[in-house]
């Protein structure tokens, strides 16, 4: 019988916790197998002593582990996703108990790390980009009711597309932005620390104009003003104005799901026949940055990444195009 790998005491506390939540013994056994494998990897890469500390559970080490599973062991997607589920639950358990300051899964994009190859279909092309922006700035094909809402709604949607396509923001980062993260004087946006990728980006003059035009177009009664108010606000099509959350006593935040829906609807309206998501836009930003000559270090800093591993498939795509 194979000897069990020594694990930190927190792992056994985690097993007791999931048992108390009704998990079967077979599930706990599988979780133990996956966590033992992870800690064996840490022992080899960071050393015996450090592997037993929660400080070893940082974004850099977790990214490297999944890169190892994909490149060295060549695990299938369903396998690494299963392992990711276990590690996510374990790190969330530690974070909830104040034993882990930063959850490593907030600082990484697993899909970008482990997917084998970036395809052209995962980007938005120049023609599609032009169609999208032309459509955003037009009221062609809209009903009378939609046309009335367009002057209020279009500026917000244009700003969102800018941030994905021109700055490579992640969906979670964009949905979490508040008025307090914006410097109206300099046009700087501070990506908050709680997203896992804190950094500052600077809007171009035209992007800054678009953003402040959007904010100024919101009726004053529901306009975000306080530092904690969301930057991007949900729209009420029934009342033809932006929405207010009486529960939060603040403008209603535009959620990640609502942002995805907005992109889907704007894509359809622009007569782009294939699906376009926030990921397509972020992918395109990364590829264009590399094509312009950005170094991997510059991109890691700009995107707030922990390591260069996330950029591997993008670098390979650009090299093949050359």
């Amino acid at each position: 019988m194979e000897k069990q790998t020594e694990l930190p005491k927190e792992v056994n506390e985690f097993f007791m916790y999931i048992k108390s939540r009704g998990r079967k013994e077979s599930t706990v056994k599988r979780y133990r197998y996956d966590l033992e494998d992870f800690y064996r990897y840490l022992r080899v890469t960071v050393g015996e002593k450090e592997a037993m500390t929660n400080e070893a559970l940082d974004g850099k080490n977790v990214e490297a582990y999944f890169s190892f599973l994909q490149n060295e062991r060549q695990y299938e997607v369903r396998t690494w996703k299963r392992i990711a589920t276990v590690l996510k639950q374990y790190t969330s358990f530690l974070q909830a108990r104040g034993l882990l300051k930063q959850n490593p899964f907030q600082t990484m994009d697993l899909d970008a790390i482990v997917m084998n190859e970036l395809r052209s279909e995962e980007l938005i092309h120049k023609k599609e980009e032009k169609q999208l922006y032309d459509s955003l700035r037009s009221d062609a094909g809209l009903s009378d009711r939609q046309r009335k809402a367009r002057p209020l709604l279009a500026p917000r949607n244009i700003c969102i597309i800018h941030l994905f396509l021109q700055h490579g923001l992640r969906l979670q980062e964009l949905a979490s932005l508040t008025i307090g993260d914006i410097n109206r004087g300099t046009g700087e946006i501070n990506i908050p620390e709680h997203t896992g990728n804190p950094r500052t980006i600077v809007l171009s003059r035209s992007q800054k104009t678009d953003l402040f035009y959007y904010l100024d177009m919101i009726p004053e009664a529901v306009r975000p003003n306080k530092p904690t108010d969301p930057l991007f606000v949900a729209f009420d099509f029934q009342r033809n104005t932006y929405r207010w959350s009486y529960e939060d006593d603040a403008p209603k935040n535009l959620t990640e799901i609502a942002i995805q829906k907005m992109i889907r609807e704007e894509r359809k309206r622009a007569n782009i026949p294939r699906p376009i998501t926030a990921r397509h836009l972020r992918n395109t930003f990364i590829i264009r940055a590399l094509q312009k000559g950005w170094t991997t270090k510059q991109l890691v800093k700009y995107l707030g990444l922990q390591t260069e591993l996330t950029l591997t498939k993008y670098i390979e795509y650009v090299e093949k195009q050359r």
Side-chain angles (χ1 to χ4, degrees):
M1 181 180 293
E2 184 178 351
K3 184 180 178 181
Q4 286 188 342
T5 300
E6 183 183 357
L7 296 170
K9 62 181 178 60
E10 291 87 355
V11 176
N12 291 317
E13 292 171 3
F14 170 64
F15 292 150
M16 292 175 62
Y17 168 75
I18 61 175
K19 282 181 181 178
S20 72
R21 306 285 290 183
R23 295 299 176 92
K24 296 180 180 178
E25 192 62 43
S26 58
T27 300
V28 176
K29 185 177 180 180
R30 178 170 58 80
Y31 276 35
R32 175 179 288 278
Y33 174 85
D34 289 335
L35 286 169
E36 284 182 344
D37 185 73
F38 174 64
Y39 276 99
R40 279 194 293 269
Y41 170 84
L42 286 181
R43 279 186 167 83
V44 172
T45 55
V46 304
E48 292 278 345
K49 187 174 181 180
E50 187 177 346
M52 297 295 284
T53 67
N54 291 333
E55 285 74 18
L57 297 170
D58 62 14
K60 182 177 179 180
N61 288 334
V62 175
E63 277 195 16
Y65 176 63
F66 281 99
S67 180
F68 166 75
L69 296 182
Q70 194 263 327
N71 294 314
E72 301 297 329
R73 291 185 179 170
Q74 298 184 341
Y75 278 0
E76 294 181 358
V77 172
R78 64 182 181 184
T79 304
W80 68 254
K81 281 190 173 181
R82 185 203 76 210
I83 296 170
T85 298
V86 175
L87 283 175
K88 281 180 181 179
Q89 290 187 30
Y90 176 54
T91 53
S92 295
F93 168 82
L94 293 177
Q95 189 178 33
R97 281 153 181 75
L99 301 173
L100 192 63
K101 182 178 178 181
Q102 182 69 58
N103 192 324
F105 288 94
Q106 291 181 319
T107 66
M108 56 199 285
D109 186 344
L110 270 182
D111 286 335
I113 296 168
V114 302
M115 295 306 288
N116 291 326
E117 185 177 7
L118 183 70
R119 297 167 296 144
S120 176
E121 293 79 9
E122 297 173 76
L123 307 173
I124 183 171
H125 307 305
K126 284 289 186 181
K127 180 182 177 182
E128 295 169 330
E129 179 184 355
K130 184 177 185 304
Q131 286 177 252
L132 186 58
Y133 276 121
D134 286 348
S135 177
L136 282 163
R137 293 188 171 98
S138 167
D139 62 3
L142 296 177
S143 66
D144 289 342
R145 183 178 179 183
Q146 291 172 325
R147 194 173 287 113
K148 289 178 181 178
R150 200 66 188 169
L152 280 171
L153 192 58
R156 183 201 69 181
N157 295 353
I158 289 171
C159 291
I160 290 172
I161 298 299
H162 280 336
L163 289 173
F164 285 135
L165 187 57
Q166 309 299 331
H167 295 280
L169 264 65
R170 295 158 60 225
L171 184 62
Q172 178 208 10
E173 291 171 341
L174 191 140
S176 67
L177 290 175
T178 66
I179 289 297
D181 297 323
I182 311 301
N183 186 318
R184 289 196 71 136
T186 62
E188 293 180 338
I189 297 181
N190 294 309
I191 311 301
E193 186 173 358
H194 66 78
T195 65
N197 304 70
R199 62 200 186 279
T200 299
I201 63 173
V202 183
L203 301 178
S204 68
R205 180 178 295 180
S206 63
Q207 291 165 2
K208 184 166 67 168
T209 299
D210 284 338
L211 180 63
F212 299 144
Y213 178 73
Y214 146 67
L215 289 171
D216 292 340
M217 284 293 290
I218 300 175
E220 189 173 356
V222 291
R223 184 183 301 157
N225 286 308
K226 294 182 295 186
T228 55
D229 287 347
L231 176 61
F232 292 110
V233 186
F235 195 78
D236 187 337
F237 287 93
Q238 297 296 323
R239 296 182 174 86
N240 197 33
T241 188
Y242 282 95
R243 300 183 66 181
W244 184 266
S245 170
Y246 292 97
E247 181 180 351
D248 300 325
D249 192 28
K252 186 172 178 59
N253 187 48
L254 188 68
T255 65
E256 293 181 32
I257 293 174
I259 293 169
Q260 292 171 315
K261 181 181 178 182
M262 179 277 289
I263 295 173
R264 184 167 63 249
E265 290 176 346
E266 293 290 1
R267 182 270 300 176
K268 290 179 180 177
R269 184 169 170 268
N271 292 318
I272 299 173
R274 68 189 184 94
I276 296 291
T277 66
R279 180 177 291 278
H280 286 77
L281 303 176
R282 176 178 159 88
N283 286 346
T284 302
F285 166 78
I286 296 172
I287 290 297
R288 290 178 181 174
L290 290 170
Q291 289 172 335
K292 290 175 184 175
W294 286 38
T295 66
T296 51
K297 286 185 178 180
Q298 286 175 311
L299 261 178
V300 164
K301 182 179 180 181
Y302 197 84
L303 297 172
L305 305 176
Q306 292 292 316
T307 73
E308 297 179 6
L309 289 170
T310 305
L311 299 175
T312 301
K313 73 173 185 177
Y314 300 98
I315 295 168
E316 291 176 348
Y317 179 88
V318 171
E319 290 175 348
K320 286 181 180 179
Q321 296 301 308
R322 289 172 181 166

